[in-house]
Amino acid sequence: MTAERSGQTTAGMADERAPRGLFVYVAAAFAALGGLLFGYDTGVISGALIFIQKTFSLSTFNQELVVSVVLVGACVGALSGGRLADRFGRRRMLIFTAIIFIAGAIVCAMAQNVMMLIVGRSIVGLGIGLASSTVPLYISEVSPAGARGWQVSLFQFAITVGILAAYLVDYAFAASENWRWMLGLAVVPGAALGLGMLILPESPRWNAQRGNLEKARSVLVKVRGTHHVDAEMREIEATLHQAHEHGHLSDLWLPEVRLAMVIGIGLAIFQQVTGINTVIYYAPKIIQAAGIPSASGAILATAGIGLVNVVMTVVSMWLIDRVGRRPLLLVGIAGMAISLGVLGYAFYSPARSGSFAEIAVVTLMAYVASFAISLGPIFWLLIAEIYPLKIRGSAEGVAAATNWAANFAVSLTFLTLLQVIGASRTFWLYAVLALAAWVFSYALVPETKGRTLEEIEAAWRTKGRVA
Ligand code: BGC
C-alpha cells in the first residue's frame, strides 16, 4: 500500500501527461446516463407500487417480487456485464445496456398482467446491473488521472439525480394514478444513452488490450484534445504484457490481485449493510414512524433527503481529486456511524417530545450526506480503478454483483428487523457495521488520487506479491 499512498507526487505528472479535451466530458456525461437509469428505475417503484397494486390487486408476495426482482436481475447483469465488457468492449456493452433499458421500460409500461410486469422489471434489473459494471469502467478508462475521481463520480451523481427524478415523476403522476408513465418514462434517458454511445469512441485501454494500438492512440488524441499522448500510450503499452491474454475468472484470485478483490468485495458489502437503501427505499415509512403522520409531509421530507443526496455528491466530486479518496471515505463513514447511533437513540427514548420527528429527519439527512461524500461515490470509483487491466471488467463485475446481492439481503430483512428487534436496535446494528467499515477502510483502502491506472496497477505488483 505504501506505493499507493505515496502517489501524490505523481499527480502533477499525470496531469501534464494528459491535458484535458472537451470530448472526455461529453463521453463521461453520456456514459453517466447509465447511472441516471440505475437511480430512476430503483427509485420509481416506491411511488408506483400503490397504483400498480390497485390495477392488478397484488398480493403482498407479488408486491415484494415486483420490487425486488430488479435486484436479482441487477446481480445477474453486473456479474455477466463485467465479463462481457472485457470481451466485447465497454462501448458495445453500453449500447446493449441502453437497448435493455428501453425494452424493460416498454414491457413494464404495457404490462397486461403481473407476470408481464415481473418480466419487465427483471429486464430493467438486468440493465441496471450491466450499467453498474460497465459505466464506471468506461469513464475511468477515458478520463485523465487528475480528473478521474470526479468524472467517475458522475456515475454516482447521476444515480442520485435519477432517484430524485423518480420521486418527482411519481409525485407528478400520483394524481392521475398513471403508473405506466412512471415506469415508461425511463425510455427517454435509455434512448439518450444508446444514441450517445453510438457516436462515442471505445475506451483506449480496451482497444490497446485487444492489440489495436493505433485505434487506442487515435481515441486518446480525440478524448485528450491533443496529439501529446505519447507518455500515456507508453504507460498503457507497458501494462499490456500483463493484459494481452484474456483474463480468466480464476485470475481473480491470483496473489497480486487478491487484496484488491478483498477491498472491492468488502466495500461492496459495507456500502449496503450500513443501511443506505433502507433510507432510500423506505424513507417515508421511517419518517412516518418518527411522527410525521401525513403522507404528503413524509413524501416532502423524502424529497428533501433525495436533494441532500444529490447536493452532497456534488460536494464529494469537488473534493475527491483534491483531498483524495481515503480522507473523504473515513470522514464520511464516521459521520454515518454517528448519525446511525443518534437515530437509534432517537427511536429508543420512550418519551418522544414534539421535536422528535424533526430530529429524526435531520439525523436521516446527516446520515445520507455522510454516505454521499464517502461510500456512495467512492465504492464505485475504487472498483473502477484498483484492478489490473487484464481482469478489470470481470473483477469490477464481481464487486458490483456483490453490492446488489448485499442490497437484496438488506432490503429483504429491514422490515423484519424492525418488527423483531425494533427500530433502535436495527439502526444500532447498522452503526456497528459502519464502525467495522471504518476500520476496514482505514486498514486496507489505498489512496489512488492523481495516479494513472497503470501506476496503480504497477503499485500492486511492486508489493512483492507478483506470482
Ligand atoms: C448505491 C445504491 C444507492 C445509492 C443511493 C449507490 O452508490 O449503490 O444502492 O441506492 O447509492 O444514492
Side-chain angles (χ1 to χ4, degrees), residues 188-465:
V188 179
L193 170 66
L195 292 176
M197 291 317 298
L198 277 178
I199 49 171
L200 288 167
E202 178 52 87
S203 138
R205 287 167 168 85
W206 186 81
N207 271 319
Q209 190 200 346
R210 305 303 280 190
N212 205 341
L213 291 176
E214 265 324 295
K215 185 87 188 127
R217 168 179 288 275
S218 73
V219 174
L220 263 190
V221 167
K222 196 167 183 184
V223 295
R224 298 283 174 268
T226 170
H227 285 277
H228 302 296
V229 295
D230 289 351
E232 197 170 355
M233 268 312 286
R234 267 200 302 280
E235 262 192 323
I236 294 176
E237 284 174 43
T239 59
L240 285 183
H241 67 281
Q242 296 286 318
H244 68 280
E245 95 263 27
H246 203 64
H248 296 286
L249 276 188
S250 55
D251 291 344
L252 298 182
W253 296 106
L254 287 175
E256 68 265 32
V257 285
R258 205 171 291 155
L259 184 55
M261 287 306 292
V262 169
I263 293 171
I265 290 175
L267 287 178
I269 295 172
F270 282 126
Q271 199 210 37
Q272 294 299 325
V273 299
T274 43
I276 183 63
N277 285 313
T278 64
V279 178
I280 299 294
Y281 302 164
Y282 298 108
K285 265 188 194 298
I286 300 176
I287 292 165
Q288 281 187 326
I292 295 183
S294 81
S296 61
I299 290 173
L300 203 65
T302 304
I305 289 172
L307 194 63
V308 168
N309 199 7
V310 175
V311 171
M312 291 310 286
T313 305
V314 176
V315 172
S316 175
M317 286 165 68
W318 185 68
L319 289 172
I320 207 158
D321 292 310
R322 293 183 167 84
V323 304
R325 289 50 162 160
R326 271 177 67 85
L328 271 182
L329 195 60
L330 295 174
V331 168
I333 297 177
M336 287 169 71
I338 293 169
S339 41
L340 283 166
V342 174
L343 204 58
Y345 181 73
F347 274 92
Y348 184 71
S349 64
R352 293 183 187 174
S353 69
S355 57
F356 173 78
E358 284 81 3
I359 294 174
V361 171
V362 169
T363 315
L364 275 180
M365 287 183 171
Y367 165 76
V368 169
S370 308
F371 173 87
I373 59 160
S374 61
L375 268 178
I378 295 175
F379 160 66
W380 295 109
L381 172 59
L382 282 172
I383 64 166
E385 55 184 21
I386 59 174
Y387 299 116
L389 179 57
K390 179 176 162 184
I391 48 136
R392 193 171 290 146
S394 308
E396 190 189 4
V398 168
T402 307
N403 186 263
W404 288 110
N407 187 340
F408 185 57
V410 173
S411 311
L412 268 191
T413 50
F414 176 61
L415 292 180
T416 314
L417 277 177
L418 282 188
Q419 270 170 12
V420 177
I421 61 173
S424 309
R425 288 193 185 83
T426 302
F427 290 123
W428 282 335
L429 177 66
Y430 297 147
V432 170
L433 290 166
L435 288 178
W438 195 94
V439 174
F440 177 90
S441 304
Y442 182 79
L444 296 181
V445 171
E447 183 55 83
T448 51
K449 178 185 101 172
R451 321 197 70 197
T452 64
L453 294 177
E454 289 69 31
E455 284 166 346
I456 297 169
E457 184 165 343
W460 286 118
R461 261 183 275 128
T462 52
K463 288 169 50 173
R465 291 173 186 245

Side-chain angles (χ1 to χ4, degrees), residues 59-275:
S59 63
T60 309
F61 177 70
N62 274 341
Q63 283 185 54
E64 283 170 351
L65 214 55
V66 167
V67 174
S68 53
V69 80
V70 160
L71 302 179
V72 179
C75 197
V76 175
L79 208 51
S80 41
R83 196 145 173 73
L84 293 173
D86 274 349
R87 197 171 180 82
F88 297 108
R90 293 38 170 143
R91 175 177 167 271
R92 268 194 221 128
M93 276 316 291
L94 284 172
I95 295 173
F96 179 62
T97 303
I99 296 171
I100 295 274
F101 270 125
I102 294 171
I106 293 175
V107 174
C108 286
M110 296 177 49
Q112 296 305 310
N113 51 47
V114 63
M115 203 50 225
M116 195 169 160
L117 190 64
I118 290 170
V119 170
R121 293 278 293 162
S122 317
I123 301 175
V124 164
L126 213 57
I128 298 178
L130 292 173
S132 68
S133 58
T134 317
V135 173
L137 197 64
Y138 177 78
I139 304 181
S140 81
E141 290 186 347
V142 295
S143 298
R148 194 179 57 242
W150 76 260
Q151 290 193 345
V152 178
S153 301
L154 273 178
F155 177 63
Q156 174 71 19
F157 171 69
I159 296 175
T160 60
V161 172
I163 293 172
L164 187 61
Y167 288 159
L168 296 177
V169 168
D170 280 357
Y171 187 69
F173 285 106
S176 60
E177 306 198 350
N178 200 333
W179 59 267
R180 293 182 189 278
W181 271 99
M182 296 176 186
L183 301 185
L185 265 183
V187 163
V188 179
L193 170 66
L195 292 176
M197 291 317 298
L198 277 178
I199 49 171
L200 288 167
E202 178 52 87
S203 138
R205 287 167 168 85
W206 186 81
N207 271 319
Q209 190 200 346
R210 305 303 280 190
N212 205 341
L213 291 176
E214 265 324 295
K215 185 87 188 127
R217 168 179 288 275
S218 73
V219 174
L220 263 190
V221 167
K222 196 167 183 184
V223 295
R224 298 283 174 268
T226 170
H227 285 277
H228 302 296
V229 295
D230 289 351
E232 197 170 355
M233 268 312 286
R234 267 200 302 280
E235 262 192 323
I236 294 176
E237 284 174 43
T239 59
L240 285 183
H241 67 281
Q242 296 286 318
H244 68 280
E245 95 263 27
H246 203 64
H248 296 286
L249 276 188
S250 55
D251 291 344
L252 298 182
W253 296 106
L254 287 175
E256 68 265 32
V257 285
R258 205 171 291 155
L259 184 55
M261 287 306 292
V262 169
I263 293 171
I265 290 175
L267 287 178
I269 295 172
F270 282 126
Q271 199 210 37
Q272 294 299 325
V273 299
T274 43

